[in-house]
Amino acid sequence: MPPKFEQVTSFVDVPITDDGVDTPAFLDAADGLMDLFDLFGSVVFGFVQTDLRTNITGVRARYASHTAASTTLERLVEAEHADRARNATACLVRLVRGLAFTCRALQELQADDKAELHVCFRRAYDVVLKHHHSFVIRSVVTIAIRAVPRRADFFMSLAEGGDQEKLRAEMSKWLAALDAIAVRVSAFLANGGYGRV
C-alpha cells in the first residue's frame, strides 16, 4: 500500500550547505517520491518510476563506492568528473529533470483548484520534458498522462481521509523545497558544463 504523504521523507528535510545538497538525504527523499507514484497506478506511471528509479540507483551506486567524496550532489559530480567518469552525473541530470517535472505538475495542481491532475501533468510535461523526448516517447507520455486519477481521488489517496487542508500546506512546503533543490542542482550542472538539465 502506498504511503500517506506525511510518511514520505520530505525534501524539506534535505540539508543544504555551502558544499551543496546532502546526497543520502536527497536520495531518501527521491525514493519517497517514487513510492508516491504508486498512487497514480503502477501501469500508468510505471515507465516514469522505472526511469527515475534507474537514475536514483545510478547516483546511489556512485555514492556507495565513493562515499567520502560524494557527501553532496555537487561533490559527487565533481569527483566523478575528476575520475573521467560520467554515469552518475548523467543519472543525476535525468533524475533532476524527472523531479522538476513532478514538482511542476504538483505546483500546477496546488495553484489551480479547478484543474484536473492530467491537465497539470500535461502543462508540466510541455514545459519541462517535452523538448527532451522523441515523437514516440511524447506519444507514450500523452497516453499515460490521460490515465492519471481524478484530482479528488488523488488528494483522497494522499490524505487517506485525513485533513486535506493540512495536506495542502505540507505539500506546499515539500514542493518549495524540491523546487529549490532542482533549481540549484540544475544550475550547478549547467554552469559547470556537466550536463544540460
Side-chain angles (χ1 to χ4, degrees):
M1 179 176 202
K4 287 172 60 173
F5 186 77
E6 64 194 32
Q7 295 170 324
V8 172
T9 301
S10 176
F11 285 97
V12 173
D13 300 325
V14 176
I16 300 173
T17 65
D18 290 341
D19 286 338
V21 178
D22 184 85
T23 301
F26 170 81
L27 292 170
D28 287 346
D31 278 335
L33 176 61
M34 294 306 93
D35 293 338
L36 286 180
F37 267 102
D38 290 337
L39 296 170
F40 298 120
S42 59
V43 174
V44 173
F45 269 93
F47 73 96
V48 174
Q49 282 179 286
T50 299
D51 184 56
L52 292 177
R53 284 195 196 280
T54 298
N55 292 320
I56 291 169
T57 299
V59 175
R60 183 170 273 121
R62 176 69 189 193
Y63 174 73
S65 64
H66 297 78
T67 304
S70 304
T71 55
T72 67
L73 297 176
E74 292 85 346
R75 300 297 79 85
L76 180 148
V77 168
E78 290 170 345
E80 186 179 56
H81 183 71
D83 290 345
R84 299 193 185 285
R86 173 132 176 85
N87 185 59
T89 301
C91 287
L92 183 60
V93 168
R94 291 187 299 268
L95 177 56
V96 169
R97 277 186 200 146
L99 293 174
F101 159 64
T102 305
C103 182
R104 178 73 179 247
L106 295 177
Q107 285 173 325
E108 291 273 347
L109 189 69
Q110 291 274 77
D112 186 346
D113 285 339
K114 296 196 177 5
E116 279 297 332
L117 195 56
H118 71 89
V119 172
C120 297
F121 269 93
R122 183 69 212 191
R123 290 174 185 164
Y125 180 75
D126 288 347
V127 172
V128 179
L129 290 179
K130 185 177 181 179
H131 58 283
H132 295 290
H133 291 162
S134 68
F135 175 77
V136 173
I137 298 295
R138 288 178 195 167
S139 300
V140 170
V141 170
T142 298
I143 292 166
I145 286 174
R146 291 294 301 172
V148 298
R150 290 181 39 243
R151 175 191 185 98
D153 295 338
F154 174 69
F155 275 115
M156 191 62 71
S157 294
L158 281 181
E160 283 190 355
D163 184 345
Q164 291 206 12
E165 283 307 309
K166 180 181 174 190
L167 168 68
R168 287 175 64 93
E170 288 303 310
M171 186 181 282
S172 290
K173 290 187 235 174
W174 188 86
L175 291 171
L178 172 54
D179 187 49
I181 291 169
V183 167
R184 179 189 175 111
V185 175
S186 295
F188 168 79
L189 291 166
N191 294 338
Y194 298 112
R196 288 182 30 210
V197 177

